[in-house]
RNA sequence: ACGCCUGUAGCUCAGCUGGUGGUAGCACCUGACUUUUAAUCAGGGGGUCGUGGGUUCGAACCCCACCGGGCGUACCA
């Protein structure tokens, strides 16, 4: 069923065609100016001829019409912003035939239509820089009405806030809430800042398989698929760690990849089934070096996206200025609970967890219990960027044992705004130790841990050829983007977040036929 | 997955203790208007009150189930 407004627009389309006007022309429209540039640079002085925009040609959507008889105003929204158009009947229709104004503009053009206009820039008597239109061309007729958002003095009226609408119809959201484009521009700026930083250091951006016969590199449940020709099960990667390490074995000194990873787990405002990490591996370095590098790189990201190291996130101002705080995991737990668990055995840690009202279950080993205590009692309180170091070995089957703290690995996580956003370690490169760790994981799997890692023989073969000492890091790009853009939900930093299927999609499609 | 909140026109929202769905604003249609800017003025159309049951003389409102959405919790990045 078409709404009244949709029927009206289809009728307008038919009338446009009946007037011999092509509503979807093929030819290039020669744009020579943009709304934001004109507003910023317009200068009517004679000697500023290059900045007076007297032959401006713009293209964009009509976003507002104010019809006033023989002259009207409209707002044109292009990729840079909006500018007011002044459309006088006798200017666009110098001859006897006033159809272009009376019919085409006043009746047949709608909010949302793409048009091209040519005209002279001037300032109205109320001081608004506007274009006096001399030519008006349909570029694309819009058949579906956009919700209209109005604004005055910075206050927005009738803003479309329905998240369902915004996420499902992001294309419309971007049109009517153009401020969100900034969020996505910033997201891209985060990528380009990091890419520039890493390229300058000489590291190689690479691509590795998304379809993997054995998923590894993290603890998570995968999406499973099937390749017909090879008749084999393939998994969508949950991480790319093991492939990047193979490239370190192959002799690259530094490799990185912005990688879409896939985890078949719950969704929340911090989780989307597909998400992006950057993983970076550098040989001959250790996790101390990586902490320094991470601070420097993320500080640059903050400055690039916010102009300063200080970023407003919710109610907090987070300062990414180096150096960040560093706690070992034991120190962090002692700091927030007053209890030193570093010397405790598994039973004592379990008792401590119970005393702190941290939920436990019998399958948890000492490492998992410590991780739970940290997650419950410490993580949410770490607002400013902080490195937590030296994790229990049980939790980190790919990390190198600590050079002088038994039972721990050389690992750190970066925490910010109460959430982990990166995870790094001095990589385990002892192939015999690595095999034992994988075997321990297999044991955990037998005990019912669905996220236990599987044993990857090919990866072990690579390690046996020899991998240099290497440090690696994974940074959650979506989480980083949330922080840098002050977004409360991962859905706000993904153009097309995963959604449940639309309830009446089938019906709608039938109606469209 | 569980708990709490929520669903009224294309959008934003009123709707009292259950008594005929709102003269609501924007959008849309008709008309007026050559410097307006949330344009204004006069008129008009538009609804399966998320869906299906139940209670009741009577349900947008109360009850149940289902379907969307939000926020927490859990798993995790």
């Amino acid at each position: 069923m078409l709404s009244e407004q949709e029927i009206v627009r289809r009728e307008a389309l038919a009338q446009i065609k009946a007037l011999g006007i092509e509503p979807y022309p093929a030819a290039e429209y020669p744009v020579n100016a943009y709304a934001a540039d004109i507003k910023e640079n317009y200068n009517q002085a004679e000697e500023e001829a290059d900045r007076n925009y007297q032959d401006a040609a713009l293209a964009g959507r009509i976003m507002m019409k104010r019809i006033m008889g023989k002259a009207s105003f409209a707002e044109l929204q292009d990729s840079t912003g909006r500018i007011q158009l002044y459309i006088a009947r006798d200017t666009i229709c110098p001859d006897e035939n006033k159809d272009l104004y009376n019919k085409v503009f006043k009746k047949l053009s709608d909010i949302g239509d793409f048009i091209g206009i040519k005209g002279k820039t001037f300032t109205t008597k109320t001081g608004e820089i506007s274009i006096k239109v001399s030519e008006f061309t349909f570029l694309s007729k819009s058949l579906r009405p956009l919700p209209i958002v109005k604004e005055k003095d910075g206050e927005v009226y009738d803003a479309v806030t329905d998240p369902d609408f915004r996420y499902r119809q992001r294309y419309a959201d971007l049109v009517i809430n153009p401020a969100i484009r900034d969020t996505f521009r910033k997201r891209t700026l985060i990528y380009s800042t990091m890419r520039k930083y890493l390229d300058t250091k000489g590291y190689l951006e690479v691509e590795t398989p998304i379809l993997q016969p054995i998923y590894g590199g993290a603890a998570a449940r995968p999406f499973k698929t099937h390749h017909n020709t090879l008749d084999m099960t393939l998994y969508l990667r949950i991480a790319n760690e093991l492939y990047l390490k193979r490239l370190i074995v192959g002799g690259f000194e530094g490799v990185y990849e912005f990688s879409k990873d896939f985890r078949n787990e719950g969704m929340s405002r911090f989780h989307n089934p597909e998400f992006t990490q950057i993983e970076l591996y550098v040989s001959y370095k250790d996790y101390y070096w990586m902490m320094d590098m991470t601070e420097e790189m993320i500080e640059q990201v903050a400055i690039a996206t916010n102009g300063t190291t200080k970023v407003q996130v919710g109610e907090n101002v987070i300062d990414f200025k180096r150096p960040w705080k560093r706690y070992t995991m034991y120190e962090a737990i002692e700091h927030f609970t007053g209890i030193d668990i570093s010397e405790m055995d598994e039973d004592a840690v379990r008792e401590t967890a119970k005393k702190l009202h941290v939920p436990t279950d019998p399958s948890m080993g000492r490492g998992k219990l410590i991780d739970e205590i940290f997650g419950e009692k410490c993580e949410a309180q770490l607002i400013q960027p902080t490195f937590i170091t030296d994790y229990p070995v049980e939790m980190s089957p790919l990390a190198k044992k600590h050079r002088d703290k038994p039972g721990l690995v050389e690992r750190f996580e970066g925490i910010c705004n109460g959430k982990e956003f990166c995870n790094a370690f001095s990589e385990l490169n002892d192939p015999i130790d690595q095999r034992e760790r994988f075997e321990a994981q297999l044991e955990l799997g037998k005990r019912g841990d669905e996220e236990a890692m599987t044993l990857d023989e090919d990866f072990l073969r690579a390690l046996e050829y020899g991998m240099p000492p290497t440090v690696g890091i994974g940074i959650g790009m979506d989480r980083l983007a949330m922080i840098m853009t002050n977004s409360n939900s991962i859905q706000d930093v993904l153009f097309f977040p995963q959604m449940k299927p639309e309830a009446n999609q089938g019906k709608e499609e039938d109606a469209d036929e």
Side-chain angles (χ1 to χ4, degrees):
Chain A
M1 265 299 281
L2 293 177
S3 69
E4 178 201 354
Q5 292 187 47
E6 287 171 307
I7 292 165
V8 166
R9 289 197 177 202
R10 277 166 165 76
E11 284 168 358
L13 178 70
Q15 287 186 48
I16 289 165
K17 286 179 177 167
L19 286 166
I21 296 167
E22 172 54 59
Y24 302 103
E28 172 190 7
Y29 192 83
V31 172
N32 68 15
Y34 294 92
D37 295 339
I38 294 174
K39 283 184 164 175
E40 194 183 323
N41 300 320
Y42 174 62
N43 189 320
Q44 58 197 103
E46 299 254 338
E47 61 276 21
E48 298 278 2
D50 55 330
R51 295 204 289 153
N52 63 10
Y53 299 100
Q54 291 306 292
D55 289 302
L58 290 85
R61 282 187 200 266
I62 301 171
M63 291 306 287
M64 192 73 80
K65 284 169 77 180
R66 293 186 281 275
I67 291 178
M68 312 189 44
K70 298 186 186 66
S72 302
F73 294 89
E75 282 173 30
L76 186 79
Q77 176 169 299
D78 68 12
S79 61
T80 66
R82 290 191 186 186
I83 191 158
Q84 179 168 268
L85 307 180
Y86 175 64
I87 302 172
R89 186 191 68 181
D90 296 340
T91 307
I92 63 168
C93 304
D95 303 328
E96 285 302 300
N97 183 345
K98 305 298 184 189
D99 278 359
L100 184 63
Y101 181 74
N102 285 332
K103 290 189 183 167
V104 177
F105 173 71
K106 274 173 71 173
K107 298 292 180 190
L108 304 178
S109 76
D110 286 295
I111 288 171
D113 290 353
F114 280 94
I115 59 167
I117 61 99
K118 292 180 183 161
K120 297 179 192 302
T121 307
F122 74 111
T123 306
T124 65
K125 71 180 182 191
T126 50
E128 174 127 1
I129 294 169
S130 308
I131 313 285
K132 184 170 185 177
V133 175
S134 52
E135 264 184 72
F136 170 94
T137 310
F138 261 106
L139 299 179
S140 182
K141 180 73 193 153
S142 164
L143 294 184
R144 189 180 284 261
L146 288 163
I148 301 304
V149 176
K150 298 213 169 183
E151 196 182 324
K152 188 187 187 183
D153 302 333
E155 213 173 324
V156 178
Y157 298 82
D158 297 342
V160 176
T161 53
D162 178 11
D164 194 50
F165 176 91
R166 294 189 49 214
Y167 300 145
R168 283 190 201 282
Q169 301 186 41
R170 184 68 89 186
Y171 34 86
D173 186 31
L174 286 160
V175 174
I176 61 180
N177 296 319
I180 68 160
R181 293 184 200 173
D182 293 342
T183 297
F184 291 99
R185 288 206 183 91
K186 274 189 185 174
R187 184 178 170 123
T188 297
L189 185 57
I190 294 169
Y191 282 66
S192 58
T193 302
M194 291 170 73
R195 190 171 268 132
K196 204 181 302 168
Y197 178 90
L198 296 170
D199 289 349
T200 302
K201 288 193 174 300
Y203 305 143
L204 189 70
E205 182 170 10
V206 298
E207 292 182 283
T208 63
I210 292 173
L211 290 172
Q212 302 180 347
I214 297 170
Y215 60 95
R221 288 154 72 178
F223 286 91
K224 193 175 173 182
T225 187
H226 184 261
H227 188 275
N228 290 338
T229 302
L230 297 174
D231 189 22
M232 69 185 289
T233 297
L234 288 170
Y235 300 91
L236 274 64
R237 69 180 168 202
I238 58 172
N240 53 0
E241 170 152 357
L242 303 186
Y243 283 94
L244 291 177
K245 285 181 183 171
R246 285 169 168 98
L247 297 179
I248 295 291
V249 169
F252 293 109
E253 189 158 326
V255 290
Y256 72 93
E257 179 175 17
F258 289 101
S259 89
K260 264 285 176 77
D261 293 338
F262 306 83
R263 297 189 184 174
N264 206 341
E265 290 167 345
M267 290 161 61
S268 78
R269 72 188 182 93
F270 292 106
H271 301 90
N272 195 67
E274 59 181 282
F275 68 103
T276 307
Q277 289 191 89
I278 181 175
E279 289 197 35
L280 163 71
Y281 294 81
V282 183
S283 48
Y284 313 121
K285 308 292 189 190
D286 65 9
Y287 78 137
Y288 294 113
W289 177 90
M290 185 60 96
M291 280 189 262
D292 294 341
M293 196 221 75
T294 303
E295 284 174 342
E296 186 175 71
M297 181 166 68
I298 301 302
E299 186 187 72
Q300 287 187 15
V301 166
I303 291 168
T305 51
N306 289 276
T308 156
T309 59
K310 293 191 172 76
V311 180
Q312 181 83 38
V313 183
E315 291 172 0
N316 301 311
V317 175
I318 295 178
D319 192 349
F320 288 94
K321 189 161 182 55
R322 288 177 286 166
W324 301 352
K325 257 187 260 170
R326 296 182 187 189
Y327 287 121
T328 68
M329 183 166 262
Y330 289 144
E331 284 167 359
I333 289 172
E334 189 171 358
H335 182 262
F336 286 106
T337 68
I339 302 170
D340 176 9
I341 60 167
S342 60
E343 305 297 323
M344 292 181 183
D345 64 10
E346 178 170 327
D347 289 338
V349 173
R350 189 181 304 279
E351 280 312 305
T352 304
K354 282 180 183 161
K355 205 160 61 187
L356 292 169
H357 304 105
V358 174
T360 63
D361 79 67
S363 75
M364 290 177 182
R366 182 174 185 273
K368 182 82 178 162
L369 287 164
I370 291 170
D371 195 54
E372 286 294 315
I373 293 171
F374 176 79
E376 284 286 319
K377 295 294 166 191
C378 310
E379 189 172 1
Q381 303 188 54
L382 293 166
I383 301 302
Q384 295 302 321
T386 305
F387 289 122
I388 301 297
T389 66
D390 301 346
Y391 284 63
V393 63
E394 301 92 317
M395 302 300 301
S396 315
L398 301 167
K400 186 176 269 192
K401 281 176 182 151
H402 198 282
R403 61 195 74 180
D404 43 42
K405 295 177 186 169
L408 301 181
V409 291
E410 297 202 351
R411 172 179 175 183
F412 72 83
E413 289 192 356
I415 316 262
C416 170
N417 204 33
K419 272 281 171 188
E420 173 192 351
F421 72 93
C422 70
N423 180 20
F425 26 87
S426 302
E427 302 294 340
L428 178 54
N429 62 343
D430 173 344
I432 292 168
D433 188 357
Q434 182 67 77
R435 182 176 292 277
E436 286 167 6
R437 302 271 198 101
F438 275 142
E439 281 164 356
Q441 286 289 307
L442 293 180
E443 276 308 306
L444 283 178
K446 282 182 195 156
R447 273 166 69 173
D449 185 344
E450 292 191 56
E451 293 176 347
M453 287 184 195
T454 47
L455 190 149
D456 187 334
E457 279 293 350
D458 178 69
F459 173 67
L460 289 170
R461 178 166 63 190
L463 284 192
E464 286 165 7
Y465 282 114
M467 183 172 85
T470 298
V471 62
I473 188 168
I475 302 174
M477 295 301 293
D478 311 285
R479 297 243 175 118
L480 188 61
M482 285 170 68
I483 290 167
M484 293 300 168
T485 62
N486 190 13
S487 297
N488 194 41
S489 166
I490 196 169
Q491 298 174 108
D492 293 330
V493 298
L494 296 169
F495 274 125
F496 303 105
Q498 192 59 240
M499 302 286 283
K500 289 188 189 175
E502 276 185 83
N504 52 2
Q505 201 170 38
K507 274 187 210 162
E508 275 194 1
E509 276 173 6
D510 289 347
D512 282 347
E513 291 298 316

